[in-house]
Amino acid sequence: MVDKVLTANRLSDGIAVWLDANGQWNEDLQSSLVARHAEAVASLEEIGKRDFSANKVVDVNIIDVAEENGRLWPTRLRERIRAAGPTIEYATGYKPADTAFIAV
């Protein structure tokens, strides 16, 4: 089974976030809780539904990731862009995405 993490966009500002092991939405993909079996994926799905219903996040998705050299790498280009940050100037404190990370 492919490793998976739960991602969404924070409702307050639209920034991409990932669920961490403490059940908090975090801006750092590397802090994500990684699901490595079907039961863990099912738990992530339930948490995503709960937090969407509570208006904490929107666009909730479980995505595939690969672990390489101790770092998580989304397998899809869309998710690499979301993990690296916006590709343009977006909001104060958020710099554009690292093109090297996206191109991997």
Side-chain angles (χ1 to χ4, degrees):
M1 178 176 170
V2 175
D3 293 346
K4 299 185 183 291
V5 297
L6 185 63
T7 186
N9 291 85
R10 194 168 41 215
L11 192 59
S12 62
D13 60 11
I15 296 297
V17 290
W18 291 265
L19 189 73
D20 67 20
N22 295 318
Q24 302 298 311
W25 291 99
N26 192 305
E27 294 177 20
D28 180 22
L29 168 66
Q30 302 308 315
S31 299
S32 297
L33 173 65
V34 179
R36 294 190 165 96
H37 53 79
E39 293 82 5
V41 172
S43 292
L44 290 181
E45 289 173 344
E46 290 303 314
I47 293 167
K49 288 177 187 176
R50 179 198 69 201
D51 287 358
F52 174 78
S53 294
N55 291 321
K56 292 182 181 180
V57 291
V58 295
D59 194 24
V60 180
N61 292 289
I62 292 180
I63 65 165
D64 296 344
V65 293
E67 190 170 347
E68 296 176 15
N69 299 322
R71 291 188 49 88
L72 296 175
W73 299 92
T75 57
R76 291 184 55 215
L77 176 60
R78 174 185 188 266
E79 302 308 332
R80 287 195 302 266
I81 291 170
R82 290 179 73 247
T87 56
I88 60 171
E89 293 294 331
Y90 176 71
T92 304
Y94 296 94
K95 61 184 180 183
D98 176 6
T99 56
F101 180 82
I102 293 170
V104 171

